[in-house]
């Protein structure tokens, strides 16, 4: 077996995985901010985390993964107020939708999925600890973390804060590196805003403190792995390190993993830019859950994923190729015996798959190993060189791969039905449509109206409407 090595943002190097608790890997994952539906950019990052945890489990580790749900922050408070409902009620529906989405994509549930608003007490206790250590100050009822008291500030995102003006503060949850400032741990209530009455005063938590509090509550002071998209490294993760390490005096996270963005037309897909697709947008256009799963996992997490229609088409074909291969393995009668050459190819594929994933979760390498096997085995079958005893080994290998890839079970229709969406029939090409129209015209000419009606119906079933024009020509369009 290959040594598992991961690229740690902190050291900017590949490092071997050595969990704090041998045999168990403890992972914290920044989860969704539930002020709107997650988009497929978000799922790019969640998909990477799914592959990571599935691979670690396949390698015999137990995984303890905690994912938070940010159900209180600036945007949620604004959106809930605009909708005239409480934040709990406002966020409930997006949490529900998120759970449905991850189920549709076969993303495994983390061991703990925790809501920020259920952990206000833990955050208050952590802020008190920071107060006792003299790391904070209060201004107008809000409590700030004084970053000049934490000399290591900036070590993850490599920013230099030496010239920073002491006492300059930032109140918003999200800001740019140029605006590195003392940040809010606890925010004084504003008129009409939701707040909590607590020992540190009335108010609500800043975004960053929730992840420190929940991560350490469930995983201990030092986590093995912390994941998120690259946009979270600053300020969110930088602030998490400052809060946690200032409170405990221990290393907060051993390995930081950051997924590169999914981009569309050269830009990061994001809710604020409005250039996003939700999963349901894609399902409604006829794309299958498994297609999207394939597409999202196919590009290694440290490479940007350029989202295109072409990519979706390839993902669909590739998934079908895998499924067809397993169907063939199970259905076809092969000549008796076992071909050692095929057995060798299977073993190579298994090793290469593991080597790819061990190399910083390189899914492209892992998939290449699988498709090499598919190609070689299909060729051997066509030549009669794939033998009966090879089938069980090949099936076992495919099942091993699928413990990580989760693409083989053909349950797309069922997943969509659960969401109340029908699986759209693939559209016919214009050549196919025109061919059928010609055939219908010919049938009409020979007065075979049964056949011409059948063809009209067949086209209608595929979503194509035809119109007989007065001049005898025929027009067609998609319904
Ligand atoms: P949010 O709901 O905005 O807090 O984001 C949830 C996760 O999705 C975080 O880990 C983000 O870094 C990640 N994320 C946001 N936009 C993208 C994108 N375009 N591509 C990949 N990951 C993203
Ligand atoms: Zn977080």
């Amino acid at each position: 077996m290959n040594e598992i090595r991961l690229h740690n943002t902190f050291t900017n190097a590949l490092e071997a995985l050595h969990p704090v608790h041998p045999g168990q890997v403890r992972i914290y994952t920044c989860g969704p901010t539930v002020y709107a539906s997650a988009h497929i950019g978000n799922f790019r990052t969640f998909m990477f985390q799914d592959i990571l945890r599935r691979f670690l489990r396949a390698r015999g580790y137990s995984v303890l993964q905690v994912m938070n749900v940010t159900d209180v922050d600036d945007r949620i408070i604004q959106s809930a107020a605009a909708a005239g409902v409480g934040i709990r009620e406002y966020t409930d529906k997006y949490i529900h939708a998120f759970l449905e989405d991850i189920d549709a994509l076969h993303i495994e549930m983390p061991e703990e999925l925790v809501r920020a608003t259920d952990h206000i007490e833990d955050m208050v206790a952590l802020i008190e600890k920071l107060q006792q250590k003299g790391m904070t100050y209060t201004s107008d009822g809000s409590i700030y973390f004084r970053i000049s008291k934490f000399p290591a500030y900036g070590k993850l995102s490599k920013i230099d804060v030496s010239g920073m003006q002491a006492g300059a503060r930032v109140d918003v949850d999200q800001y740019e590196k140029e605006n590195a400032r003392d940040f809010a741990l606890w925010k004084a209530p504003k008129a009409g805003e939701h707040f909590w009455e607590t020992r540190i005063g009335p108010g609500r938590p800043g975004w960053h403190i929730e992840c420190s509090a929940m991560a350490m509550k469930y995983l201990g002071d030092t986590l093995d792995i912390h994941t998120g998209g690259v946009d979270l490294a600053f300020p969110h993760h930088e602030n998490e390190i400052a809060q946690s390490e200032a409170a405990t005096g221990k290393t907060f996270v051993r390995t930081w993993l950051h997924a590169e963005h999914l981009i569309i037309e050269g830009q990061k897909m994001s809710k604020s830019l409005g250039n996003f697709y939700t999963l349901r947008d894609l399902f409604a256009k006829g794309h299958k859950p498994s297609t999207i799963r394939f597409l999202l996992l196919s590009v290694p997490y440290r490479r940007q994923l350029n989202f295109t229609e072409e990519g979706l088409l390839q993902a669909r074909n590739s998934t079908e190729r895998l499924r067809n291969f397993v169907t063939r393995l199970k259905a076809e009668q092969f000549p008796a015996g076992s071909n050692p050459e095929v057995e060798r190819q299977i073993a190579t594929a298994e090793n290469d798959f593991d080597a790819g994933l061990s190399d910083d979760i390189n899914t492209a390498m892992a998939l290449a190993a699988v498709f090499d096997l598919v190609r070689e085995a299909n060729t051997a079958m066509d030549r009669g060189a794939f033998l009966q005893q090879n089938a069980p080994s090949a099936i076992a290998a495919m099942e091993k791969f699928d413990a990580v890839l989760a693409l083989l079970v053909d349950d797309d229709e069922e997943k969509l039905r659960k969401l109340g969406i029908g699986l759209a029939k693939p559209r016919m090409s214009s050549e196919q449509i025109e061919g059928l129209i010609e055939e219908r015209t010919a049938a009409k000419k020979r007065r075979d109206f049964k056949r011409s009606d059948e063809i009209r119906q067949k086209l209608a079933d595929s979503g194509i409407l035809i119109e007989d024009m007065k001049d005898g020509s025929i027009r067609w369009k998609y319904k």
Side-chain angles (χ1 to χ4, degrees):
M1 259 197 277
N2 305 280
E3 183 178 62
I4 299 176
R5 301 198 311 155
L6 300 169
H7 180 270
N8 189 354
T9 311
F10 192 77
T11 55
N12 195 20
L14 277 180
E15 292 171 4
L17 175 71
H18 295 296
V20 177
H21 304 265
Q24 187 183 54
V25 184
R26 298 191 178 187
I27 308 175
Y28 186 85
T29 296
C30 289
T33 307
V34 281
Y35 75 103
S37 295
H39 56 67
I40 53 158
N42 301 131
F43 286 112
R44 191 286 137 119
T45 295
F46 298 134
M47 188 61 76
F48 151 62
Q49 290 148 178
D50 184 57
I51 298 295
L52 172 69
R53 58 168 287 134
R54 284 173 178 272
F55 173 57
L56 293 174
R57 290 234 318 247
R59 283 287 297 263
Y61 287 105
S62 87
V63 167
L64 178 56
Q65 183 191 12
V66 176
M67 183 192 278
N68 70 303
V69 173
T70 299
D71 61 350
V72 53
D73 86 334
D74 297 342
R75 291 166 301 181
I76 290 172
I77 288 180
Q78 279 161 19
S79 310
V85 295
I87 56 170
R88 195 86 187 182
E89 187 184 340
Y90 183 79
T91 53
D92 271 346
K93 64 175 185 297
Y94 292 114
I95 294 176
H96 184 74
F98 176 71
L99 294 177
E100 287 182 336
D101 286 354
I102 63 170
D103 175 65
L105 289 179
H106 280 278
I107 292 178
E108 286 183 344
M109 273 290 277
E111 283 61 35
E112 299 281 354
L113 184 73
V114 289
R115 287 176 84 145
T117 56
D118 289 334
H119 295 78
I120 301 294
E121 167 54 32
D122 301 292
M123 300 178 213
V124 168
L126 183 55
I127 295 171
E128 284 177 326
K129 214 168 179 184
L130 292 169
Q131 285 178 324
Q132 284 152 19
K133 299 206 167 194
M135 305 302 296
T136 69
Y137 59 95
T138 302
S139 175
D140 295 332
S142 292
I143 304 172
Y144 297 89
F145 186 94
R146 195 188 290 280
I147 62 179
S148 60
K149 286 266 187 163
F150 187 73
Y153 191 86
K155 63 182 178 176
L156 176 72
S157 49
K158 324 285 186 274
I159 55 162
D160 178 9
V161 289
S162 55
M164 207 197 81
Q165 196 193 333
R169 297 184 291 277
V170 52
D171 283 285
V172 289
D173 288 328
Q174 269 154 333
Y175 50 92
E176 303 297 319
K177 282 185 187 174
E178 320 51 269
N179 289 322
R181 305 260 195 283
D182 293 344
F183 58 92
L185 298 165
W186 188 255
K187 302 188 189 193
K190 289 201 195 105
E193 273 191 358
H194 188 94
F195 68 95
W196 284 262
E197 276 299 349
T198 70
R199 295 191 299 279
I200 53 172
R204 62 175 176 97
W207 170 35
H208 317 294
I209 196 74
E210 68 170 88
C211 286
S212 288
M214 294 192 279
M216 294 196 289
K217 174 180 176 131
Y218 293 95
L219 300 173
D221 292 346
T222 301
L223 334 177
D224 296 310
I225 297 176
H226 193 315
T227 64
V230 282
D231 54 309
L232 297 190
F234 186 88
H236 187 49
H237 293 161
E238 198 68 72
N239 293 353
E240 279 187 45
I241 294 176
Q243 300 161 151
S244 310
E245 299 193 353
T248 66
K250 297 182 198 151
T251 299
F252 174 47
V253 170
R254 288 190 164 185
T255 307
W256 287 94
L257 303 181
H258 288 107
E260 263 298 340
H261 283 144
L262 178 147
I263 56 168
I264 180 159
E265 282 154 19
Q267 269 189 317
K268 175 194 172 195
M269 182 174 283
S270 84
K271 287 174 217 171
S272 52
L273 292 173
N275 60 351
F276 63 89
Y277 289 112
T278 64
L279 266 190
R280 284 158 220 242
D281 294 336
L282 296 180
F283 294 157
K285 288 174 88 179
H287 299 296
K288 297 181 186 185
S290 58
T291 302
I292 297 163
R293 183 174 170 91
F294 189 100
L295 180 67
L296 294 181
L297 68 76
S298 61
V299 177
Y301 78 98
R302 287 210 303 130
R303 255 197 252 151
Q304 283 190 338
L305 193 164
N306 192 10
F307 180 79
T308 61
E309 287 281 333
E310 177 61 27
L312 280 166
L313 191 67
Q314 278 179 14
R316 183 187 180 116
N317 290 340
S318 302
T319 309
E320 263 163 34
R321 192 163 158 77
L322 295 179
R323 289 178 177 176
N324 291 342
F325 177 60
V326 175
T327 306
R328 187 172 186 191
L329 281 172
K330 290 183 176 168
E332 207 164 301
Q333 294 294 323
F334 304 108
S338 172
N339 181 344
E341 174 64 10
V342 173
E343 288 302 307
R344 202 188 48 73
Q345 288 164 342
I346 294 170
T348 302
E350 287 189 4
N351 179 63
D352 292 354
F353 183 81
D354 182 75
L357 293 175
S358 300
D359 181 8
D360 198 25
I361 317 295
N362 190 331
T363 47
M365 263 170 79
L367 283 173
V370 178
F371 283 101
D372 279 350
L373 176 64
V374 172
R375 188 175 25 82
E376 287 161 353
N378 272 326
T379 312
M381 288 176 195
D382 297 342
R383 285 192 290 114
F386 190 98
L387 305 179
Q388 216 172 59
Q389 299 306 315
N390 296 131
S393 343
I395 291 170
M398 291 302 286
E399 282 171 357
K400 232 188 234 176
F401 303 149
D402 207 51
V404 180
L405 302 175
L407 292 165
L408 289 180
V409 177
D410 190 352
D411 58 2
D412 289 307
E413 261 182 86
E414 183 197 320
K415 293 284 185 199
L416 291 175
R417 217 177 307 115
K418 273 200 200 163
L419 298 176
I421 302 170
L423 186 58
K425 295 218 168 65
R427 285 186 165 177
M428 286 188 197
S429 66
S430 35
E431 292 79 46
Q432 279 173 306
I433 296 166
E434 272 146 26
L436 282 168
I437 290 174
E438 265 172 41
E439 201 190 325
R440 175 170 168 272
T441 309
K444 271 175 125 180
K445 257 195 196 140
R446 57 173 198 270
R447 307 191 67 75
D448 182 353
F449 297 113
K450 187 166 164 279
R451 180 66 192 144
S452 73
D453 284 348
E454 259 172 28
I455 294 171
R456 174 185 280 275
Q457 191 56 47
K458 186 168 174 186
L459 288 165
D461 289 346
S462 304
I464 289 127
L465 287 181
I466 52 177
E467 227 181 318
D468 293 299
M469 306 305 287
K470 284 213 180 78
D471 64 1
S473 67
I474 291 163
R475 276 214 222 142
W476 64 267
K477 62 173 186 212
Y478 291 112
K479 255 197 265 194

